[in-house]
Amino acid sequence: MTTHIVSAYPASGAIKKFMDTKGTRDEVIALGDMLAIGPLQDLDTLPGRLNRAAYWQEVFTGRDGSYVQTFDDADKIERICELQEEGKKLLFWVGPS
């Protein structure tokens, strides 16, 4: 079994639909964060995730100073790390941003 990782919620639906047509029941993990920009170091650690969150907070702070966007993919990142440590097959779907 392969775990498919996609960094966009809408893309996960397309991958699931494709797998249904092929009769595949692989797991799909959809991340809210597209991972195309910003710091990616140490996302498997709390400091790394906090650094990433701080980056997005800076990017998505509105003109009035309010924070307008958030991604909470920590549980999904942990799952990906666990699968990798178990030697499971991971397939990352990426495209141009």
Side-chain angles (χ1 to χ4, degrees):
M1 185 167 116
T2 300
T3 300
H4 301 262
I5 298 132
V6 60
S7 57
Y9 295 129
S12 69
I15 290 169
K16 288 176 184 177
K17 186 174 182 177
F18 171 76
M19 288 192 313
D20 284 345
T21 65
K22 299 294 182 190
T24 304
R25 297 286 174 220
D26 291 348
E27 179 180 7
V28 176
I29 298 174
L31 302 173
D33 186 340
M34 60 188 248
L35 305 174
I37 58 172
L40 296 174
Q41 300 84 2
D42 303 317
L43 289 182
D44 58 335
T45 68
L46 180 58
R49 290 191 297 272
L50 291 174
N51 186 40
R52 183 95 179 140
Y55 167 80
W56 280 121
Q57 185 167 359
E58 182 178 333
V59 169
F60 284 119
T61 297
R63 290 183 183 173
D64 64 355
S66 63
Y67 183 44
V68 296
Q69 178 68 44
T70 186
F71 299 109
D72 187 10
D73 291 329
D75 58 333
K76 295 172 184 175
I77 297 290
E78 281 184 37
R79 172 83 176 129
I80 292 166
C81 290
E82 289 170 3
L83 291 167
Q84 188 271 331
E85 289 171 6
E86 294 170 8
K88 303 294 184 179
K89 186 175 178 182
L90 303 175
L91 178 62
F92 287 81
W93 291 82
V94 296
S97 314

